[in-house]
């Protein structure tokens, strides 16, 4: 059976993570994705390569695509693109806002050739505002969007990035969602459209709670918080001091029931987000918790002090048994839990394998590779990993021949650096 996007043709002009990840997800859905990159390769091919033009960063994000290198600063390369556009359904691009215009692959130019074109542009900050023309990568967006501060991970007093690249990968999902929605809309209207995605938008979107303000209970409190932070910054205080004040103002309670614990031989995570679940965990551990008593006040000083002591008791108890013993005990009580694993351990994990989340592929130069399988399961239009990532220029002749170029013309393009 064909995938849900069988017959959809996509030109992927993207680099690094967000754009390539989105196009790879669409390729898993059956789309025919042509990766357009410079003849010298996109940056992720050159990030610690283990073979010429091959790096694990590139291979991990570009499976199921065909490679057509083009130097888009050359008019002959742009002509190739313009020949592809009439039969193309989707263009995905993630350059700075000025670059598509400079290269002649902007929405206005391409949609004039094909009005049914769905053109998805991903930028760091969006097309409007004072930062619109600035370049931006995941680390910059994590810093500017509050993701980095919200994570609370400090090293030598400085905030650290969240790994994996959270803004990039969430934006990749948003792009795939936006493209699929625009294709559905086109089926009803017959018209293509421009879809704009930004790293900043998705970084804020996944922070729904912290970004939201309920004026009747938070407006004054947040105003005071921001004034205090501004004052500390003006005094030149170290970030660690500012963050400690910020954290205290947010009044975080120590979460006994939603955290990780050191066991006798590892670490176990528990996740109890309702009182019935919390009560089960407390009973399993033999803990008395005042939250289950009448007139419980979660904001009182007494409660904060009690939570600190309760946490210490729980930490001591978890050290008494192994991870497997605790998981068996917690599972029996229907308390959500799981061991803390390293990613590399999951390649042979029974749960992962049972859900077809590992696939083996043959790469043209790297040989056999094993990677994560399709993200979704669909009963009538199943997703499928078609191929490993392409070698640089692996499909040049195939694609140019389909456009009517002769062998002599293709060789001239290669000699002149238009392609490879």
């Amino acid at each position: 059976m064909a995938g849900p996007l069988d017959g959809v043709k996509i030109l992927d002009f993207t680099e690094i993570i967000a754009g390539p990840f989105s196009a790879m997800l669409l390729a898993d859905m059956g789309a025919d994705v042509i990766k357009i990159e410079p003849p010298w390769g996109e940056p992720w091919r050159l990030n610690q390569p283990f073979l010429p033009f091959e790096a694990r960063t590139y291979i991990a994000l570009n499976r199921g695509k065909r490679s057509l290198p083009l130097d888009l600063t050359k008019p002959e390369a742009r002509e190739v693109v313009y020949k592809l556009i009439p039969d193309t359904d989707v263009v995905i691009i993630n350059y700075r806002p000025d670059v598509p215009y400079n290269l002649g692959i902007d929405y206005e130019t391409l949609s004039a050739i094909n009005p049914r074109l769905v053109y998805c542009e991903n930028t760091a900050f969006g097309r409007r505002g004072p930062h619109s023309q600035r370049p931006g990568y995941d680390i910059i967006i994590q810093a500017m969007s509050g993701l980095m501060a919200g994570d609370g991970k400090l090293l030598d007093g400085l905030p650290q990035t969240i790994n994996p690249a959270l803004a990039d990968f969430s934006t990749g999902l948003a792009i795939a969602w936006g493209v699929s929605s625009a294709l559905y809309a086109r089926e009803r209207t017959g018209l293509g459209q421009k879809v704009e995605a930004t790293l900043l938008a998705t970084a804020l979107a996944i922070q729904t709670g912290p970004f939201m303000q309920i004026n009747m209970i938070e407006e004054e409190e947040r105003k005071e918080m921001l004034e205090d932070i501004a004052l500390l910054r003006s005094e030149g205080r170290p970030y660690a001091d500012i963050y400690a004040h910020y954290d205290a103002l947010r009044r975080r309670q120590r979460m006994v029931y939603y955290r990780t614990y050191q066991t006798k031989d590892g670490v176990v995570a528990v996740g109890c987000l309702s009182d019935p679940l919390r009560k089960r965990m407390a009973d399993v551990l033999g803990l008395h918790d005042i939250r289950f008593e009448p007139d419980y006040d979660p904001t009182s000083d007494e409660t904060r002090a009690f939570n600190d002591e309760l946490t210490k008791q729980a930490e001591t108890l978890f050290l008494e048994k192994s991870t497997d013993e605790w998981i068996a005990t917690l599972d029996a009580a229907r308390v959500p839990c799981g061991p803390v694993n390293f990613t590399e351990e999951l390649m042979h994990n029974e749960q992962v394998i049972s859900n077809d989340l590992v696939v083996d592929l043959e790469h043209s130069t790297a040989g056999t590779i094993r990677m994560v399988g399709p993200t979704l399961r669909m009963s009538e239009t199943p997703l499928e990993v078609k191929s490993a990532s392409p070698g640089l220029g692996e499909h040049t002749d195939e694609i140019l021949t389909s456009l009517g170029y002769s062998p002599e013309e293709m060789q001239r393009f290669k000699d002149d650096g238009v392609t490879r």
Side-chain angles (χ1 to χ4, degrees):
M1 291 183 287
L5 295 184
D6 181 55
V8 171
K9 297 181 179 180
I10 297 176
L11 291 188
D12 173 15
F13 290 92
T14 66
E15 299 178 343
I16 313 295
I17 297 177
F21 181 53
S22 71
M24 185 178 79
L25 295 176
L26 297 169
D28 285 352
M29 289 186 165
D32 176 13
V33 180
I34 296 177
K35 172 90 173 184
I36 307 290
E37 55 186 315
W40 48 91
E42 72 124 299
W44 240 215
R45 283 189 183 274
L46 311 175
N47 180 39
Q48 299 179 347
F50 61 91
L51 290 170
F53 305 110
E54 295 296 350
R56 64 183 301 114
T57 48
Y58 181 89
I59 291 174
L61 291 164
N62 289 280
R63 73 179 178 211
K65 305 177 185 181
R66 296 191 287 162
S67 172
L68 175 60
L70 290 173
D71 183 353
L72 294 172
T73 64
K74 299 181 183 296
E76 299 93 335
R78 292 195 292 273
E79 283 301 319
V80 172
V81 172
Y82 299 155
K83 284 190 174 185
L84 285 166
I85 289 297
D87 293 323
T88 295
D89 299 287
V90 179
V91 162
I92 307 176
I93 197 162
N94 70 341
Y95 301 127
R96 288 193 324 271
D98 60 310
V99 173
Y101 292 99
N102 296 337
L103 297 178
I105 53 173
D106 54 280
Y107 173 65
E108 290 76 13
T109 298
L110 299 188
S111 63
I113 299 172
N114 179 2
R116 288 175 51 82
L117 184 69
V118 171
Y119 184 103
C120 185
E121 178 184 58
N122 176 46
T123 60
F125 301 100
R127 281 197 159 274
R128 294 158 291 281
H131 300 306
S132 60
Q133 299 302 312
R134 295 181 62 203
Y137 294 99
D138 183 86
I139 187 173
I140 309 299
I141 299 301
Q142 284 196 31
M144 296 180 67
S145 69
L147 273 174
M148 195 179 288
D151 190 44
K153 184 170 61 179
L154 304 185
L155 179 64
D156 297 328
L158 295 176
Q160 302 299 301
T161 56
I162 302 170
N163 185 48
L166 191 56
D168 270 333
F169 280 105
S170 57
T171 300
L173 291 167
I175 292 171
W177 162 54
V179 165
S180 299
S181 300
L183 287 171
Y184 177 72
R186 192 183 70 175
E187 290 302 302
R188 293 183 290 117
T189 66
L191 295 175
Q193 61 180 296
K194 184 178 184 181
V195 179
E196 295 184 37
T198 71
L199 299 182
L200 179 61
T202 47
L204 292 176
I206 60 178
Q207 299 181 84
T208 52
F211 189 74
M212 180 178 66
Q213 175 174 297
I214 302 173
N215 288 352
M216 67 181 295
I217 60 174
E218 295 175 330
E219 186 172 18
E220 287 303 315
E221 183 181 272
R222 285 204 175 192
K223 180 180 177 183
E224 292 175 8
M225 175 194 291
L226 297 177
E227 288 174 349
D228 287 348
I229 291 173
L231 177 61
L232 292 172
R233 282 177 172 158
S234 70
E235 294 173 351
R237 299 282 288 276
Y239 179 85
D241 291 352
I242 298 173
Y243 180 79
H245 190 71
Y246 168 72
D247 194 41
L249 287 171
R250 290 197 301 175
R251 298 176 181 173
R252 277 187 179 170
Q253 297 182 27
R254 299 188 74 175
M255 292 293 290
V256 179
Y257 303 102
Y258 196 85
R259 52 160 291 178
T260 57
Y261 286 97
Q262 177 71 53
T263 66
K264 185 184 290 186
D265 63 351
V267 181
V268 65
V270 293
C272 302
L273 289 177
S274 67
D275 271 353
L277 292 176
R278 296 177 186 120
K279 185 67 167 62
R280 289 177 198 166
M281 179 174 162
D283 290 344
V284 165
L285 296 176
L287 295 175
H288 168 68
D289 190 345
I290 61 174
R291 77 164 55 239
F292 306 117
E293 296 178 355
D295 303 322
Y296 167 70
D297 180 3
T299 64
S300 71
D301 292 337
E302 176 193 9
T303 295
R304 293 194 187 98
F306 180 86
N307 283 339
D308 287 342
E309 182 57 34
L310 191 67
T311 298
K312 293 176 184 177
Q313 293 177 34
E315 289 171 345
T316 300
L317 289 168
F318 271 99
L319 286 169
E320 295 177 356
K321 297 180 182 180
S322 69
T323 297
D324 286 346
E325 289 174 315
W326 274 119
I327 289 175
T329 300
L330 295 168
D331 277 348
R334 294 179 294 130
V335 174
C337 65
V340 174
N341 295 319
F342 293 104
T343 306
E344 291 80 359
E345 295 178 289
L346 299 176
M347 193 68 73
H348 306 286
N349 182 277
E350 182 180 357
Q351 185 65 32
V352 172
I353 293 173
S354 296
N355 286 277
D356 301 321
L357 292 175
V358 178
V359 294
D360 289 315
L361 303 170
E362 286 300 316
H363 190 276
S364 59
T365 56
T368 302
I369 62 171
R370 176 169 286 189
M371 64 187 304
V372 65
T375 309
L376 303 174
R377 295 181 69 92
M378 300 179 71
S379 63
E380 303 305 317
T381 53
L383 278 63
E384 179 185 7
V385 177
K386 295 180 290 186
S387 62
S389 65
L392 183 59
E394 183 175 340
H395 303 95
T396 298
D397 289 358
E398 172 187 309
I399 296 169
L400 293 182
T401 298
S402 71
L403 294 174
Y405 288 100
S406 67
E408 293 75 20
E409 289 174 305
M410 289 189 286
Q411 188 58 51
R412 179 169 55 83
F413 283 172
K414 296 170 188 175
D415 292 342
D416 293 344
V418 174
T419 186
R420 67 177 296 143

